[in-house]
Amino acid sequence: MSALTFAEPLPGLSPHTDFQLDAVDGAAGLFSLRPTEAPEIRLFVLDASVYAPGYAPDIAAPCRRIGLTSPQEAKVLLVATADGTSTTVNLMAPVLVNESTGASLQAILDGQGWPLRAPLGA
């Protein structure tokens, strides 16, 4: 269980900035992300290094905003969406985490060509 504090609210989840990140038992690299003050809200996020190992966005500038000196220090999480028949991940807006402080943000990677809904496993 990790406490995360976002630099700004996630889109659609204002005013929440404090979240709990919990590993999902039996699923390596799968986590639930819930606002501390509204635990009934839940997003699923995936560790990019496990589920999208070739994913290499330019995240240097947003990493500095959460106190990291290099992108390699960031835990990169991808928001997953399941529609009943398939699961997609948002490669355009990864969640970046400074694991030593819990400082986090969702980086919007405009102009890098990453899709908003990439099929998982494709």
Side-chain angles (χ1 to χ4, degrees), residues 27-108:
L30 174 62
F31 301 89
S32 68
L33 183 64
R34 296 176 189 256
T36 304
E37 294 182 4
E40 69 278 6
I41 298 170
R42 177 178 62 185
L43 298 175
F44 286 104
V45 293
L46 304 172
D47 185 331
S49 69
V50 174
Y51 290 92
Y55 180 59
D58 179 3
I59 56 171
C63 282
R64 287 190 294 274
R65 290 187 55 208
I66 57 171
L68 299 173
T69 57
S70 98
Q72 291 75 24
E73 296 173 326
K75 181 173 201 73
V76 179
L77 302 172
L78 305 172
V79 177
T81 303
D83 68 7
T85 59
S86 66
T87 301
T88 61
V89 290
N90 182 344
L91 299 179
M92 183 189 286
V95 171
L96 308 178
V97 177
N98 179 330
E99 292 184 279
S100 64
T101 66
S104 305
L105 64 78
Q106 186 171 31
I108 308 301

Side-chain angles (χ1 to χ4, degrees), residues 9-17 19 35 41 43:
L10 295 168
L13 295 178
S14 185
H16 305 293
T17 56
F19 284 76
I41 298 170
L43 298 175

